[in-house]
Amino acid sequence: MQSYTTEQIMRMGQDIGFNYEKFEFSILGNYTSNDSLFNHRDIPHFNHLHKNLAGGHGNEGIYYGEVVSYIRYFKFLGISFPILQLMKDDGKNRVLETFSFFCFHFLKLNEEIDQEKNKCLSKITYFIGSKNKLLLIVFLPFFKKMFKKSFRDYKNDDWPFLNRRGFLRKNGFSFYKDNNK
């Protein structure tokens, strides 16, 4: 079975008429890319660390393997929607999450870039695609608000945890997954 990169997926979407908009967020921390990649792939932690993420409905892991699938519950206009999301590695230090809802296609690319002195730049880019350009423009402010909130949750919930891992690592601790792919 063929695996496609974020860029290839978007190119295929554009070939059939999708228009894409993007939002980028980044933050620098005292941790390694291994710490952050582990965090992105750890779907079960969503229900424990991110209480607001699913509006209290939780997330359900479906399959953990080369491609991870899980159901994330989104609330919109007071209605809860279960959305099947897929996550996969997308090259060195890149993890892609993708899902669709209504007439929109979403890609979330998490890139972890190691810096000097055991620091890491965590870059999260959201791509929103739709064939209907008017609907994309109309809903763009809503999506931007939703993604800003998601990044704020990452900054408030995950980032301190990642920096703690970096602090422990600096003080001689190691983690089980450090030597596993």
Side-chain angles (χ1 to χ4, degrees):
M1 197 172 282
Q2 176 86 25
S3 180
Y4 297 97
T5 66
T6 303
E7 295 79 13
Q8 289 170 322
I9 293 168
M10 287 179 46
R11 203 169 314 114
M12 287 185 295
Q14 289 166 336
D15 288 348
I16 60 170
F18 274 78
N19 300 289
Y20 287 91
E21 294 290 335
K22 78 175 183 176
F23 299 105
E24 286 184 342
F25 303 94
S26 62
I27 191 167
L28 184 68
N30 296 309
Y31 50 87
T32 66
S33 59
N34 279 348
D35 295 325
S36 196
L37 291 166
F38 173 80
N39 182 67
H40 290 304
R41 295 176 183 129
D42 182 26
I43 303 304
H45 94 273
F46 292 173
N47 293 334
H48 305 287
L49 191 60
H50 303 290
K51 296 291 184 194
N52 295 327
L53 188 66
H57 295 289
N59 294 275
E60 302 172 31
I62 305 296
Y63 175 76
Y64 300 100
E66 289 291 316
V67 173
V68 173
S69 63
Y70 59 99
I71 296 173
R72 178 172 283 168
Y73 293 92
F74 284 94
K75 254 190 168 173
F76 180 68
L77 299 175
I79 301 168
S80 177
F81 294 92
I83 297 176
L84 180 65
Q85 291 195 217
L86 300 174
M87 178 189 295
K88 72 176 199 76
D89 287 348
D90 189 35
K92 183 173 172 40
N93 294 350
R94 292 169 38 131
V95 174
L96 171 65
E97 298 174 56
T98 183
F99 64 95
S100 61
F101 179 72
F102 185 49
C103 64
F104 299 103
H105 178 217
F106 298 89
L107 297 113
K108 177 185 174 194
L109 180 62
N110 306 289
E111 296 177 273
E112 303 305 326
I113 305 156
D114 285 313
Q115 308 289 304
E116 292 180 2
K117 300 181 182 175
N118 285 327
K119 291 187 181 289
C120 182
L121 178 65
S122 295
K123 194 168 126 185
I124 299 172
T125 307
Y126 294 92
F127 299 95
I128 306 103
S130 177
K131 282 186 174 183
N132 188 315
K133 198 165 187 133
L134 177 62
L135 278 178
L136 185 60
I137 291 168
V138 167
F139 279 93
L140 214 50
F142 170 76
F143 295 138
K144 183 175 185 176
K145 183 179 176 183
M146 184 173 83
F147 297 141
K148 270 186 172 178
K149 181 190 179 315
S150 178
F151 185 72
R152 210 171 32 251
D153 288 345
Y154 176 78
K155 198 162 72 171
N156 293 334
D157 298 341
D158 292 302
W159 194 70
F161 166 77
L162 292 169
N163 281 293
R164 181 69 176 161
R165 282 179 67 108
F167 173 80
L168 291 171
R169 188 183 306 288
K170 183 177 168 184
N171 286 286
F173 287 82
S174 62
F175 299 94
Y176 174 73
K177 292 289 184 177
D178 282 351
N179 300 316
N180 278 350
K181 290 290 178 200

